Amino acid sequence: MACEEMVFWAGGVLFSLTSIMFLLLKKNNESIASINLLVNCITIVSYAVMIFGLGTITAPNGELIYWTRWLFYAGSCSLLMYETGVLLKKSKTTISEMMVSNIIVMVTGFLASYTIGLSRIVFFSISSGAFIYVLYLINKKSGRKSLFKKTIKWYITLFWSMFPLIWLLSPAYSMVLNAYWTATFYLILDFITKVLYGLFTVKKS
Amino acid sequence: MACEEMVFWAGGVLFSLTSIMFLLLKKNNESIASINLLVNCITIVSYAVMIFGLGTITAPNGELIYWTRWLFYAGSCSLLMYETGVLLKKSKTTISEMMVSNIIVMVTGFLASYTIGLSRIVFFSISSGAFIYVLYLINKKSGRKSLFKKTIKWYITLFWSMFPLIWLLSPAYSMVLNAYWTATFYLILDFITKVLYGLFTVKKS
Amino acid sequence: MACEEMVFWAGGVLFSLTSIMFLLLKKNNESIASINLLVNCITIVSYAVMIFGLGTITAPNGELIYWTRWLFYAGSCSLLMYETGVLLKKSKTTISEMMVSNIIVMVTGFLASYTIGLSRIVFFSISSGAFIYVLYLINKKSGRKSLFKKTIKWYITLFWSMFPLIWLLSPAYSMVLNAYWTATFYLILDFITKVLYGLFTVKKS
């Protein structure tokens, strides 16, 4: 059993528990809790796919690249973009742009993880461009300022930006981190951006 | 030619005819008939993919598992969930939850059909959990009671629940039924849940 | 390097520039320009996938069939259908029908490009049927007539219909055109239906 498989099992169990938590939180804040419930459920499936190694390629140093992660993010992070757009009181046009741009980020992130050479650089560049555009849409002014909105903007900008940094260190690119540490860092980021963020939005909105 | 191929041709022809029927029924009830038209058209494509055996794996007893079915259900049954949610006067939040949960049911149903061993059991369990949640959302109280709503709730609960039962008997799991009988039972259920249900909703709403 | 690779690079560069153009045009007409921006961005990714030959099959005459194109059209042309539906003041039901039918056109177009023999003919027939239905929905009367609406209807009907004609001449079907000329004609049509159409809708709506 590859070492990272333990991390994926931990992720699967963790997100099963947090899904139950968000299910119970629907009593307090139905619309926001239900989005976070779905985000956490999609994440369970994503971790299960990685546990069983259903879609991987092997990096030159022999470590596995789990590229399926990015396809599930296309689903779960679209829901998070919708939620975030609603909480920041963005227009329907802007929310749609955030969601579609996020899907472009994740599909090209998958393509960058799945391919090598020039292709990988081109897809990572497109993905980064689309991601910067998402951050621009989130951070631009929309209606009255508030501490709540400011917190959301900083939270997303800071922690979502760490995903491409881990990617650059992972077996998918520079191979500084092995598959085990890559999986561990992504799990921590998943916890911060999907569980803690979800709890914050359920409680404070 | 595998015996089940005849069943898939029958399905393709049947859903072509019922698509024409729902096209004509748009005169009576445009919004509901058009959803059923799209559901039936997606089902034609699903049957055509199975006719030509474009995505299958072979079970240990030599029978074929047609896993593409579940990916097309992710599309067609999302539309049915939307229609059902509207007819039951569910909130937008609940309808979105029904649709996304249904997609999780079908994607994990595909993964359970596509894999073997522990993986199959894990994905079938996630799929079943998500399906039970869909049934809970459908059956919970929403607005005033009526015979129409009660009929819809019972119809969906009863006949949609037979899909996982057939799956458990099919080459994808216990291999009690061969590919031919599996295809036949699914065709009967498709007819009940997509054609008869569609006719009922067009006429009675 | 295959000759068509030059055409795909030209497409990638062209749609990068036009994406910047639509980004700047958001100042004039935010909602319409942003849809065209997303359409053009999805097209960049589609061309990048073809540049690196990530999904192809080989025709009997040795030319490559780039079937990924149709999957990206499922995304980009759904957005164009939404935009067109809004500009033609279609009902929500009709816009949804246009979008889902368009996805059926593109998925079966992919299946027709990906397979051979009877399968190819069946999927091309379903795709054509769904496409004719899209054209019917676009061209049927909706609200007051105007030159703007009439222009949109003729523009879409004329230029979108050329895609299946090129397909019939391409390596995917009759092999009259080689991969290079197929790519060139599709690029011209992409420019007409995604850039020029976008400019027209941004300026005139």
Side-chain angles (χ1 to χ4, degrees), chain A residues 105-122:
Chain A
V105 172
M106 299 309 172
V107 170
T108 50
F110 147 65
L111 289 165
S113 306
Y114 186 70
T115 61
I116 52 168
L118 179 60
S119 168
R120 186 163 65 179
I121 293 167
V122 166

Side-chain angles (χ1 to χ4, degrees), chain A residues 52-72:
Chain A
F52 299 110
L54 294 182
T56 62
I57 58 167
T58 308
N61 66 347
E63 295 287 320
L64 290 178
I65 299 167
Y66 294 82
W67 49 261
T68 53
R69 174 190 292 280
W70 307 100
L71 295 179
F72 284 94

